Amino acid sequence: MRDIILGIETSCDDTAVALVNAEGTILSSVVASQLDVHAQFGGIYPEFAARAHISAIIPTVHEAFRIAGITPDGIKAIGVTRGPGLIGSLLVGLNTAKGLGLGWNRPVIGINHLRGHLRSADLEMQRVQYPATVLLVSGGHTLLAYMKNPADITLLGSTTDDSVGECYDKVGRMLGLGYPGGPVVDRLAKQGTATIPFPRPVIHKGLEFSFSGLKSAVARYLDAHQDAFHANVAASFVQAVMEVLIKKSRLALTQYPSASFVIVGGVAASPQLREEAAKLCDKLRVELCLPPLRWSTDNAAMVALATFDYINLSIIRKPVADLQLKINDF
Ligand code: KG4
Ligand code: ZN
């Protein structure tokens, strides 16, 4: 029976392919990481990302089929990330999907990467209680969304400049900690005290985020204090980030009554964020849902799951060629 979706995700620096069946069982989920390619630059280098996707995509597709133990005959449709993301990287996934779709005579469905992330908490566990408020905090995105159900998603607010992950990475670089900065900045923060009053950008401005001012404030502080105790800088930075994320999340959960609060994206790995979110959910009596990190960071199983939504929940399909994606165009 043809009931399997092939998911392809190449929006940034991970080449990801997954096979998921109609029951939501993940038959395989392969992620070829480019961390080594970009570590030397302290951030993602788009041209190298696209080239690495070109080398990795076909072997990754083969590996996904090998692990799942199926042939393309079992494929019902192909779901592929159509944006937002790096254009060179997206084109590798899109063209691969179109080629396979033509060759196998299967439909190709373009998926919003953000929808994939927002749906990722339902992978494997199927335990999100709706309505849910979702905080997506990754290297590329920072946003709050309200999901009445998987088919009904409203964007509540997003960052007007940098994402929180990007901010962590830049601060990590300023402190000479390497890439990605998130985990190391968090670890260093634990050894320091939050003594520096860094700004909490747009903290009183509804559900919008902004992180570039905080990043600049850390840079200015380090310029003016060459002998700064780095652990205190990290602790003060993390405290500022947490205050903003938690204040906005509390506002969203109060304005949009939710059964659960979901956090996805690479920054969801932050122990400080997990701790603060747990306290918030305890207070508001909301279920906290933290999916395992392999589903929370970029992967193709989330793209396959979102593809089922398009097929099963009659969500309007967007043409694959539509790359002029608006952030609220879920
Ligand atoms: O979702 P993700 O893997 O990638 C994309 O955006 O594609 O997120 C990566 C981001 C990086 O900016 C990284 O520094 C951040 O997640 N990150 C963390 C932690 N672990 C990873 N940020 C804060 N604390 C962490 N423990
Ligand atoms: Zn992502």
Side-chain angles (χ1 to χ4, degrees):
M1 195 169 68
R2 282 185 192 164
D3 68 345
I4 295 165
I5 299 290
L6 170 67
I8 297 180
E9 153 63 43
T10 63
S11 65
C12 192
D13 62 334
D14 289 313
T15 313
V17 178
L19 289 158
V20 178
N21 72 15
E23 284 85 51
T25 306
I26 299 158
L27 306 177
S28 62
S29 174
V30 185
V31 180
S33 166
Q34 300 178 3
L35 216 54
D36 295 349
V37 177
H38 304 290
Q40 57 186 308
F41 304 108
I44 291 157
Y45 197 108
E47 177 65 17
F48 287 165
R51 286 166 189 259
H53 282 305
I54 292 169
S55 313
I57 188 74
I58 296 299
T60 311
V61 170
H62 278 297
E63 182 64 359
F65 275 99
R66 190 191 65 75
I67 293 170
I70 63 153
T71 67
D73 278 350
I75 300 298
K76 181 190 182 86
I78 301 168
V80 57
T81 302
R82 66 190 166 94
L86 301 171
I87 190 70
S89 293
L90 286 166
L91 285 171
V92 177
L94 281 160
N95 285 321
T96 303
K98 286 186 197 173
L100 295 175
L102 265 178
W104 298 339
N105 193 25
R106 298 291 191 279
V108 177
I109 298 169
I111 298 294
N112 185 325
H113 179 75
L114 304 175
R115 173 184 281 278
H117 270 303
L118 297 178
R119 291 291 280 117
S120 63
D122 265 334
L123 283 168
E124 256 181 356
M125 300 182 296
Q126 301 283 330
R127 72 175 182 88
V128 174
Q129 290 171 35
Y130 295 99
T133 291
V134 188
L135 175 67
L136 164 57
V137 274
S138 71
H141 307 283
T142 299
L143 61 84
L144 275 160
Y146 183 65
M147 296 176 75
K148 268 193 196 153
N149 57 58
D152 188 340
I153 305 177
T154 307
L155 177 70
L156 303 180
S158 62
T159 181
T160 50
D161 41 57
D162 294 351
S163 71
V164 63
E166 196 177 340
C167 194
Y168 259 103
D169 292 338
K170 297 276 164 58
V171 168
R173 191 155 74 181
M174 289 175 213
L175 295 173
L177 297 173
Y179 175 82
V184 265
V185 170
D186 271 348
R187 274 201 296 278
L188 184 63
K190 290 234 166 90
Q191 296 160 30
T193 313
T195 49
I196 309 155
F198 287 133
R200 275 70 169 144
V202 302
I203 195 155
H204 298 300
K205 212 174 154 201
L207 295 167
E208 294 294 311
F209 296 93
S210 162
F211 287 101
S212 70
L214 173 58
K215 178 185 73 185
S216 309
V218 176
R220 279 196 304 275
Y221 184 88
L222 287 171
D223 271 352
H225 302 82
Q226 303 280 334
D227 57 350
F229 182 48
H230 282 188
N232 285 359
V233 176
S236 308
F237 163 75
V238 171
Q239 191 187 60
V241 169
M242 292 308 143
E243 259 186 60
V244 172
L245 293 180
I246 294 299
K247 167 114 197 252
K248 307 270 172 183
S249 301
R250 182 188 296 118
L251 185 62
L253 287 162
T254 318
Q255 287 182 356
Y256 297 85
S258 304
S260 58
F261 178 45
V262 182
I263 310 180
V264 290
V267 183
S270 161
Q272 288 93 330
L273 179 56
R274 289 173 167 246
E275 212 174 286
E276 293 301 322
K279 282 189 218 156
L280 175 66
C281 287
D282 257 5
K283 229 179 270 168
L284 299 181
R285 294 177 187 282
V286 169
E287 168 106 1
L288 177 61
C289 180
L290 298 164
L293 276 179
R294 68 180 178 286
W295 306 131
S296 187
T297 55
D298 286 351
N299 67 84
M302 69 186 194
V303 174
L305 182 62
T307 307
F308 277 117
D309 291 348
Y310 277 75
I311 293 170
N312 298 335
L313 304 175
S314 313
I315 294 169
I316 300 158
R317 280 185 209 181
K318 297 280 193 283
V320 176
D322 174 19
L323 286 174
Q324 300 302 319
L325 195 75
K326 294 188 199 76
I327 193 152
N328 58 351
D329 175 18
F330 289 115

